[in-house]
Amino acid sequence: MNHNSPCFGGFGDPNEINYCAPLKQLIDEHPSLLAKMAEFNQMVQAFEADDTITDWNNAIDQLHEKLSIFIAELEPHSDREEDVLFEMMVKYIGREGGPIAVMEYEHNTAKLNLKEFMDKVAFIKENEKTITKEEAFDLFRHLKIVYLTLTDHFMKEENILFPMAEKTLSDEEKEELAIQFKKIA
């Protein structure tokens, strides 16, 4: 990101900010989540490029397993942001039309596509349905949206929202953030 752009907001270089523990925790959770997303995205790309696949159920089962692990890690991270950080930031920057609105929209987009993928796979398994290539590609579409949305989302958090939170929140609010984060497993 161009740190001189008007979109950056003048919070300084995000890499040089001394973040409070809760914000540092959110930042530190991103690499593992990004690695898991890269892994399922690479699997999707490999499956799409492989003209020899005849068992699409196996491909979807492999992705379902990866996504289950990813979701288990993503959910508490998302809860800490939505239920605690975003709510604290709303009183300073509002919810409509600003960074919080964007963050919530992206969370909702990712969650909706993860749910669509998981629900469709559950239906397929329950009904012992054989998946066609076209159906598999439709399922892949949900994962591509998740990957693109959250990859960009994490960058926005690290370059805009988290620096803004570090500068804006009081020491007392940062302590409350830490207390609330501990309640979310």
Side-chain angles (χ1 to χ4, degrees):
M1 171 172 253
N2 178 355
H3 298 286
N4 295 323
S5 85
C7 297
F8 187 69
F11 293 105
D13 182 346
N15 298 317
E16 295 177 7
I17 296 173
N18 186 18
Y19 288 101
C20 64
L23 293 174
K24 180 93 171 88
Q25 177 183 346
L26 292 174
I27 293 166
D28 289 347
E29 290 170 352
H30 282 177
S32 176
L33 291 166
L34 286 165
K36 286 176 178 61
M37 290 191 311
E39 193 173 321
F40 75 68
N41 189 56
Q42 288 166 352
M43 288 174 70
V44 165
Q45 290 174 348
F47 291 144
E48 287 180 331
D50 188 342
D51 291 333
T52 66
I53 296 176
T54 55
D55 183 356
W56 288 101
N57 286 70
N58 182 47
I60 296 302
D61 285 345
Q62 290 177 48
L63 282 166
H64 182 262
E65 187 177 314
K66 293 281 180 210
L67 264 291
S68 296
I69 295 166
F70 171 70
I71 290 168
E73 186 175 331
L74 179 66
E75 283 180 343
H77 175 83
S78 179
D79 290 346
R80 284 187 276 279
E81 290 178 349
E82 291 174 12
D83 299 341
V84 186
L85 178 62
F86 293 178
E87 292 306 315
M88 273 191 193
M89 293 297 295
V90 162
K91 68 180 173 186
Y92 295 106
I93 60 176
R95 175 165 266 122
E96 304 303 319
I100 298 299
V102 172
M103 297 292 120
E104 289 179 332
Y105 173 79
E106 291 171 350
H107 275 214
N108 290 338
T109 298
K111 285 180 178 182
L112 175 66
N113 280 280
L114 286 168
K115 182 177 181 345
E116 286 286 318
F117 176 86
M118 297 303 271
D119 288 351
K120 288 176 181 178
V121 172
F123 178 83
I124 289 163
K125 288 179 183 239
E126 287 168 16
N127 294 284
E128 298 178 9
K129 187 174 178 329
T130 300
I131 303 171
T132 65
K133 179 178 181 177
E134 292 72 27
E135 290 167 327
F137 276 51
D138 181 58
L139 287 165
F140 296 162
R141 182 181 54 82
H142 293 297
L143 301 184
K144 289 177 181 180
I145 291 169
V146 170
Y147 176 77
L148 292 171
T149 300
L150 291 182
T151 302
D152 185 55
H153 176 80
F154 288 172
M155 184 200 65
K156 289 177 192 167
E157 287 180 336
E158 291 176 14
N159 288 296
I160 299 167
L161 186 68
F162 296 160
M164 184 184 295
E166 183 59 44
K167 281 227 174 181
T168 306
L169 297 176
S170 68
D171 289 343
E172 293 78 19
E173 287 168 318
K174 290 173 185 173
E175 287 174 26
E176 183 61 25
L177 206 57
I179 291 165
Q180 295 304 317
F181 276 20
K182 286 180 182 160
K183 294 179 182 178
I184 300 171

